[in-house]
Amino acid sequence: MMAYKERTKPRLLCIYEALAKRMKLSPDDHYYLVNMDGGFIGELGLDVHTDALDSRCLVLNDLQLRHNRCSFQIDTLVICPDKLLLCEAKNYKGVHTWGQLTFRKPSGATLENPSIQLRRTQARLTVLLADLKIEMPIEAYVVYTNPEFTLLGAQENTDYLLPSQILHYFHKLQVSGEIGPEQQRLADTLIKMHNPRYFAEELPAIDYRKLRKDLFCLACGSAVRPDGIKSVYCPVCKKRERTTKTIAQNIEEFRLLFPDEKLTTPRMAEWCGMENKDRVYRVLRNSYRAVGKGHGRHYV
């Protein structure tokens, strides 16, 4: 079953990945990138199960919402005819010891019990539903998708699914009735409310002058080198790709990092580390709309 709102790679993760190619991230930013990437992999692991659900469900992935001045994120919301299924995906790996407020790792490191975040999200969703005058019960779970995750000392609890429980839960999930106007209205309203820029305050400081200017591989992110007239070659992953496609993707990364900056041929040639501006110009001309003339021309 195709999700009603498909999951895409988070904008913030794309930004950090683009930066990691062009500068050395601070230890904190690198750790943040690794955690975001692991979290996205965990969400994709949850999608395997929700994609197989009854077609009478509406699956909404990666909702970033703001209501009553409170921002909150929902990894997966399954709208069933008779209830809502709220899922918080976690890709934790290794042994963790359960605590009511925190989990502890063998190294002694502690982290917040994800059930706290789940309950906070559930509470904010409940308030939103009330304001929309929609009454539907919510089942909420933290779903630990990594098969190498072990949780010691956990109490009998109904708000999490361990790796060995996930398949059984979704296989046995019962759906009663058909999606009606109220459920459809909720799905459309949440999608309309979704805004990936609600977490823009988490962006790192970006200084164009300090970023490496080059073309980077679409597959692994390493710098590429010319391979004939029309292609480039990655010395790391050994893949070849059309030069125009690689230029286009690198231009899109510039737009991601600098959404308010103008796309001009000289700037994009510099960004891609290319002395041949004609190739960059052709990509801009074929993929974007020209605005202005002469030295004032840019592309949108």
Side-chain angles (χ1 to χ4, degrees), residues 101-173:
L101 298 178
T102 61
F103 285 0
R104 188 177 71 255
K105 298 182 180 182
S107 64
T110 60
L111 59 155
E112 182 180 85
N113 185 331
S115 294
I116 296 175
Q117 178 183 346
L118 177 72
R119 287 192 289 269
R120 184 165 54 243
T121 301
Q122 183 177 1
R124 292 177 178 175
L125 178 60
T126 301
V127 172
L128 175 56
L129 291 177
D131 288 347
L132 294 174
K133 300 188 182 332
I134 293 176
E135 295 185 8
M136 295 186 71
I138 302 174
E139 289 186 13
Y141 299 94
V142 180
V143 185
Y144 297 97
T145 60
N146 194 318
E148 297 183 41
F149 173 72
T150 300
L151 186 59
L152 301 178
Q155 295 183 351
E156 285 293 331
N157 206 321
T158 59
D159 70 353
Y160 59 79
L161 296 173
L162 298 176
S164 60
Q165 299 173 310
I166 300 173
L167 185 62
H168 177 76
Y169 172 82
F170 283 101
H171 182 70
K172 294 296 183 180
L173 182 65

Side-chain angles (χ1 to χ4, degrees), residues 48-293:
V48 172
H49 301 283
T50 57
D51 286 347
L53 286 176
D54 193 299
S55 60
R56 290 175 292 171
C57 299
L58 299 176
V59 178
L60 278 64
N61 293 314
D62 187 29
L63 290 168
Q64 297 187 44
L65 307 171
R66 186 173 180 84
H67 183 63
N68 289 345
R69 299 189 178 183
C70 292
S71 297
F72 61 104
Q73 180 175 344
I74 296 175
D75 289 343
T76 301
L77 183 69
V78 181
I79 301 177
C80 303
D82 57 339
K83 63 186 175 185
L84 301 177
L85 175 59
L86 172 65
C87 295
E88 175 75 25
K90 292 298 179 186
N91 190 30
Y92 293 170
K93 182 179 180 180
V95 177
H96 293 66
T97 301
W98 184 89
Q100 186 173 359
L101 298 178
T102 61
F103 285 0
R104 188 177 71 255
K105 298 182 180 182
S107 64
T110 60
L111 59 155
E112 182 180 85
N113 185 331
S115 294
I116 296 175
Q117 178 183 346
L118 177 72
R119 287 192 289 269
R120 184 165 54 243
T121 301
Q122 183 177 1
R124 292 177 178 175
L125 178 60
T126 301
V127 172
L128 175 56
L129 291 177
D131 288 347
L132 294 174
K133 300 188 182 332
I134 293 176
E135 295 185 8
M136 295 186 71
I138 302 174
E139 289 186 13
Y141 299 94
V142 180
V143 185
Y144 297 97
T145 60
N146 194 318
E148 297 183 41
F149 173 72
T150 300
L151 186 59
L152 301 178
Q155 295 183 351
E156 285 293 331
N157 206 321
T158 59
D159 70 353
Y160 59 79
L161 296 173
L162 298 176
S164 60
Q165 299 173 310
I166 300 173
L167 185 62
H168 177 76
Y169 172 82
F170 283 101
H171 182 70
K172 294 296 183 180
L173 182 65
Q174 297 295 319
V175 177
S176 302
E178 300 289 339
I179 291 291
E182 185 174 66
Q183 290 81 18
Q184 189 69 56
R185 176 169 68 91
L186 174 60
D188 292 338
T189 299
L190 292 176
I191 290 175
K192 187 176 181 180
M193 292 177 64
H194 168 71
N195 188 335
R197 293 180 180 269
Y198 282 145
F199 297 88
E201 67 275 6
E202 299 177 6
L203 293 176
I206 302 174
D207 186 340
Y208 176 83
R209 297 168 299 176
K210 296 181 179 180
L211 300 181
R212 180 178 175 183
K213 314 303 189 294
D214 212 333
L215 275 182
F216 293 90
C217 176
L218 306 185
C220 75
S222 303
V224 298
R225 63 191 186 206
D227 182 46
I229 298 176
K230 296 184 178 181
S231 64
V232 293
Y233 171 74
C234 178
V236 176
C237 69
K238 313 302 181 185
K239 291 189 176 181
R240 289 175 170 82
E241 186 57 81
R242 287 185 294 115
T243 303
T244 53
K245 184 176 180 180
T246 306
I247 291 172
Q249 180 58 41
N250 279 262
I251 290 174
E252 281 302 299
E253 289 185 350
F254 178 88
R255 295 181 70 199
L256 179 70
L257 295 174
F258 304 99
D260 298 325
E261 295 288 329
K262 292 181 178 180
L263 301 183
T264 65
T265 299
R267 171 61 70 89
M268 291 304 97
E270 178 186 50
W271 177 252
C272 295
M274 300 188 68
E275 295 183 1
N276 186 344
K277 296 180 182 180
D278 289 341
R279 284 194 170 185
V280 176
Y281 165 70
R282 287 195 293 270
V283 172
L284 289 170
R285 182 189 61 189
N286 294 331
S287 302
Y288 301 91
R289 179 171 60 88
V291 177
K293 296 182 179 180

